[in-house]
Amino acid sequence: MKYLNYIFLCLSLLFTSNTFALEQKYHESVLPIIAAFKTQDKAAIAAHIRYPLKRQYPLPDIKNEAEFINRFDEVFDDELVAVIGSSNINTDWDKVGWRGIMLNNGVMWVDTDGKIIGINTQNAEEQAFAKRLIEQDKQSLHSSINTFEEPMLDWKTASYHIRVDDLGDRNYRYVAWGIDKSPKDKPDMVLLNGDITFEGSGGNHHYTFKNGRYSYILHVTVIGCDTSPPGWLEVYKGDEQLLKERVISAE
């Protein structure tokens, strides 16, 4: 998907010129993962995943080991398995602050407990699956908003149902309904020309949409702690914050 490629490009640009050997104390977190991929042991790899394993919307997250093994080929093709299995602990892996340990400028992320927390690639099989889901998604929406190139997020807070779509070339659209309404209903608000801003090295980012003096900001958590919500919505009038709500459901 274009969006995932864009994230990976941003991460690569951040780290290409800032590579250091991984400290010895983190080797024990990474070496068992490399070994599992080298032997292509799916059960061993599944045991090294931090669940749920997030996938780019509209792909569903992977909830447990059994589901991971069943969907393994969606996430890992032969090329990626070989890259991880043949990776060099001293030159291909880096510790990046609190965010974890990354392979090859962000292809994969591992925490210091030796659990895989992020995989920032999509192979052909997963892209085809996503394309089918996007077509189903379009059919579930009001006719005024069912044309777009790629869905970015679909969230519910305590008060609102929100989605962001890429209309093409990172032209982002914000759509919102009251929480009691259906996506088949006409939206309460539609805003165009949103911006995306990346926040440091882990992939966390936010979208900003403007409506006169009002700003609508959607913070997306890609890498966080166990208690981090998928994101949160903030609404401002000028510099005054009018609303801040955690995301309670993320598709």
Side-chain angles (χ1 to χ4, degrees), residues 24-235:
Q24 183 70 37
K25 64 181 179 180
Y26 298 119
H27 284 204
E28 64 182 18
S29 299
V30 175
L31 286 172
I33 294 172
I34 296 175
F37 278 94
K38 186 173 292 186
T39 59
Q40 301 184 29
D41 186 338
K42 293 182 181 179
I45 296 169
H48 285 290
I49 300 289
R50 177 81 65 194
Y51 298 99
L53 179 64
K54 293 183 179 296
R55 304 310 295 146
Q56 174 62 34
Y57 178 76
L59 296 164
D61 294 343
I62 299 175
K63 299 178 181 64
N64 52 51
E65 291 187 22
E67 184 177 350
F68 175 80
I69 291 172
N70 187 51
R71 293 176 59 186
F72 184 89
D73 292 339
E74 290 176 20
V75 183
F76 297 102
D77 57 18
D78 291 343
E79 181 180 358
L80 182 55
V81 169
V83 166
I84 299 168
S86 63
S87 62
N88 187 310
I89 190 70
N90 292 307
T91 60
D92 297 330
W93 295 83
D94 291 295
K95 176 71 165 56
V96 188
W98 61 268
R99 295 171 181 85
I101 303 162
M102 68 175 183
L103 168 64
N104 290 349
N105 300 324
V107 170
M108 188 167 75
W109 288 80
V110 176
D111 65 18
T112 53
D113 293 326
K115 295 291 187 179
I116 297 169
I117 56 175
I119 301 159
N120 292 319
T121 63
Q122 271 190 348
N123 62 32
E125 184 170 342
E126 197 170 49
Q127 289 180 31
F129 182 27
K131 191 171 183 179
R132 294 193 298 271
L133 292 175
I134 289 170
E135 291 308 312
Q136 294 174 17
D137 189 24
K138 289 178 178 179
Q139 295 174 23
S140 72
L141 298 172
H142 188 269
S143 59
S144 64
I145 57 166
N146 66 0
T147 300
F148 53 86
E149 184 169 307
E150 188 172 355
M152 310 315 300
L153 58 82
D154 189 333
W155 282 355
K156 289 181 181 177
T157 70
S159 304
Y160 299 102
H161 183 176
I162 304 158
R163 64 179 292 133
V164 173
D165 300 298
D166 182 355
L167 303 184
D169 297 322
R170 296 192 289 278
N171 176 15
Y172 299 112
R173 178 184 67 192
Y174 171 95
V175 178
W177 299 264
I179 195 62
D180 58 339
K181 293 188 176 180
S182 162
K184 281 285 190 183
D185 295 330
K186 186 175 180 180
D188 296 321
M189 177 177 289
V190 177
L191 301 174
L192 302 176
N193 301 315
D195 294 323
I196 186 171
T197 303
F198 285 88
E199 303 160 5
S201 56
N204 294 349
H205 55 282
H206 65 267
Y207 298 93
T208 302
F209 295 86
K210 298 286 189 178
N211 184 20
R213 294 185 60 198
Y214 293 88
S215 299
Y216 299 79
I217 304 174
L218 296 91
H219 296 269
V220 182
T221 304
V222 176
I223 295 180
C225 63
D226 291 341
T227 59
S228 298
W232 62 94
L233 166 69
E234 293 181 323
V235 181

